[in-house]
């Protein structure tokens, strides 16, 4: 089993920055892909960013150029650096990984961007 714990959310003004962190209970990032998703009130959960075991990244079009996903294997942590935040980025952000056929999710961290 894998436990994921997100942190780093908060309230910021448009144009501001936040860095989200997701800490895993054991060392898995060297063999498993990691991803960030978000869910805004009244909307479906949507993909934000992913990073493969080899470090290849991909982003949703809405966040390309503003968000950066990275990981630190030594710290068992994946990050989401969010710059130039917009009100449309307001959502609960979730860390996700797939281990075999089992998906694991963190508890989520709230990001609120004021206009």
């Amino acid at each position: 089993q894998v436990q994921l714990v997100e942190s780093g959310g908060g309230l910021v003004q448009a144009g501001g920055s936040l860095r989200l962190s997701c800490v895993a209970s054991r060392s898995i990032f060297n063999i498993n892909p990691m991803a960030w998703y978000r869910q805004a009130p009244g909307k479906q959960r949507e993909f934000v960013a992913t990073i493969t075991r080899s470090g290849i990244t991909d982003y949703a079009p809405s966040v390309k150029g503003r968000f950066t996903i990275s990981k630190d294997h030594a710290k068992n942590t994946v990050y989401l650096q969010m710059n130039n935040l917009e009100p449309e980025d307001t959502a609960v952000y979730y860390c996700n990984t797939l281990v075999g056929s089992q998906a694991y999710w963190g508890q989520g961290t709230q990001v609120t961007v004021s206009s």
Side-chain angles (χ1 to χ4, degrees):
Q1 295 184 350
V2 178
Q3 183 181 33
L4 303 173
V5 180
E6 303 100 330
S7 63
L11 173 63
V12 298
Q13 291 186 322
S17 298
L18 287 172
R19 188 181 73 166
L20 307 183
S21 299
C22 173
V23 181
S25 58
R26 59 185 177 92
S27 299
I28 61 170
F29 298 163
N30 60 321
I31 58 174
N32 298 96
M34 303 296 299
W36 287 95
Y37 288 76
R38 67 187 182 186
Q39 186 168 23
K43 296 184 178 181
Q44 296 294 111
R45 183 176 60 195
E46 66 174 345
F47 166 79
V48 175
T50 189
I51 184 166
T52 71
R53 64 187 69 182
S54 62
I56 304 300
T57 60
D58 194 23
Y59 300 89
S62 60
V63 307
K64 284 184 177 180
R66 299 188 299 119
F67 291 10
T68 302
I69 186 171
S70 62
K71 57 182 179 177
D72 186 332
H73 291 180
K75 297 181 178 179
N76 294 332
T77 302
V78 62
Y79 303 97
L80 185 67
Q81 178 66 47
M82 305 185 295
N83 298 326
N84 301 314
L85 283 162
E86 304 169 352
E88 292 74 19
D89 297 317
T90 295
V92 177
Y93 284 71
Y94 297 92
C95 180
N96 161 265
T97 190
L98 188 66
V99 181
S101 61
Q102 178 67 55
Y104 292 89
W105 296 89
Q107 83 288 351
T109 185
Q110 176 72 48
V111 172
T112 303
V113 184
S114 62
S115 59

